[in-house]
Amino acid sequence: MNKLVVLNHPLVDCHLTVLRNRNTSPAEFRQSVRRLSMLLAHSATAELSTTDLPIETPLQPMTGKKLLNRIGLVPILRAGIGMVEPMLDLIPTSEVWHLGLYRDEATAKPVSYYSKLPESSPVDVAFVLDPMLATGGSASMACQALIDWGVPSIKMLSIIAAPEGIAKFQNDFPQIEVHSCVVDERLNDDSYIVPGLGDAGDRIFNTLHS
Ligand SMILES: O=P(O)(O)OC[C@H]1O[C@H](OP(=O)(O)OP(=O)(O)O)[C@H](O)[C@@H]1O
Ligand SMILES: O=c1cc[nH]c(=O)[nH]1
Ligand SMILES: [Mg+2]
């Protein structure tokens, strides 16, 4: 089974163009992240299990559906926060478990600074949210934390991925599906994705000059 799903869609291409454009304002950037996250959610949630829910329409009784499992959204701070709200709009019953990771500027290795996963009672399905999958180090560290927590089903959602990061992630976790809007050309010497969009966290939170 192919564990990498790349969204090929004209709307994805158009919203990605807004994200990539250096002249896009933080407000427009956040809006495009939201829109692309919804499209990613459509792809990544296709196999969620449902159970029957008897209801009555104004005309007659019928059997509807509701989600069966406990679902966790796991944004990687900071940039992953931008993807939470659109996911919650689609799955309002989700639990949100934050993981704080940043990349060490010198080594590009992830450093963990926040995790409050409880010792027991993991969710059934976790969607890890991070717009950028560059070297793959942050995604791998986050997924390892969820495996250690005992989550049986994990899916990784990114907006832009680099081929190098996909290769590392799939080597680390061949069983975990990655859903990405696009896979870009490569990483540059600073481990940034090119053509990419720059620093997603800074562009979402308007901290580019700090
Ligand atoms: O695949 P990797 O090489 O690990 O790089 C990707 C990570 O880098 C960015 O976070 P950053 O460290 O900039 O933190 P921020 O979201 O707080 O800006 C991005 O949001 C990912 O978490
Ligand atoms: O290109 C990149 C790589 C890591 N983190 C980002 O925000 N952008
Ligand atoms: Mg950043």
Side-chain angles (χ1 to χ4, degrees), residues 78 192 199-202:
R78 291 174 298 167
Y192 270 75
D199 188 298
D202 280 339

Side-chain angles (χ1 to χ4, degrees), residues 1 17 27-28 56 66 76 79 90 135 157:
M1 180 182 176
T17 302
E28 292 169 316
E56 289 184 19
K66 66 174 181 182
I76 301 180
L90 290 170
T135 67
L157 277 63

